[in-house]
Amino acid sequence: MAVGFGISVFNLAEYEDIKPRDVLDTYARSEKGATLGALAGTRVGMFEKNARLHQRKTKRWTVALAAVAAGIVLSTVSLVLHIGGHDRHTEPGEPTPTSSSATPSAQPY
């Protein structure tokens, strides 16, 4: 899950931006005030659309981070539970404790 959302965060989105050639063709002969007003209005719409893309990307980052954190916690719990009986120390020459109650077989000397 973390991998899927992590990869989706890096997808290339269609961000809105001004195309320089279109601006030059449209506003080259316009007055400065009219040009700046039109450009400002255009940029407001672009910022609003880009803000939605950023919010979606932020949500995906949050899900990916939560999934990674959950994975680390679950892995740690799994390791702690798995090594529960492995940390017992036995002295050399002592028989290791076994879980079966079978009698020991004859051992060669």
Side-chain angles (χ1 to χ4, degrees):
M1 185 167 137
V3 172
F5 277 99
I7 291 171
S8 72
V9 167
F10 292 109
N11 70 345
L12 298 176
E14 285 288 325
Y15 290 104
E16 288 288 320
D17 202 0
I18 291 179
K19 295 170 182 57
R21 176 58 59 191
D22 294 343
V23 171
L24 180 65
D25 292 343
T26 304
Y27 300 110
R29 303 217 187 272
S30 299
E31 291 186 21
K32 184 177 182 179
T35 302
L36 290 176
L39 289 175
T42 303
R43 293 295 289 173
V44 166
M46 291 178 181
F47 276 110
E48 289 171 347
K49 182 180 179 195
N50 291 342
R52 287 190 300 270
L53 293 173
H54 288 299
Q55 287 173 349
R56 187 170 59 212
K57 194 175 248 191
T58 301
K59 288 178 184 175
R60 289 178 182 171
W61 267 111
T62 303
V63 170
L65 182 62
V68 167
I72 290 171
V73 168
L74 292 174
S75 295
T76 304
V77 168
S78 173
L79 285 171
V80 168
L81 292 177
H82 177 72
I83 62 170
H86 294 288
D87 59 348
R88 294 191 186 115
H89 179 71
T90 59
E91 293 295 324
E94 288 183 10
T96 57
T98 60
S99 61
S100 66
S101 60
T103 59
S105 61
Q107 297 178 359
Y109 291 100

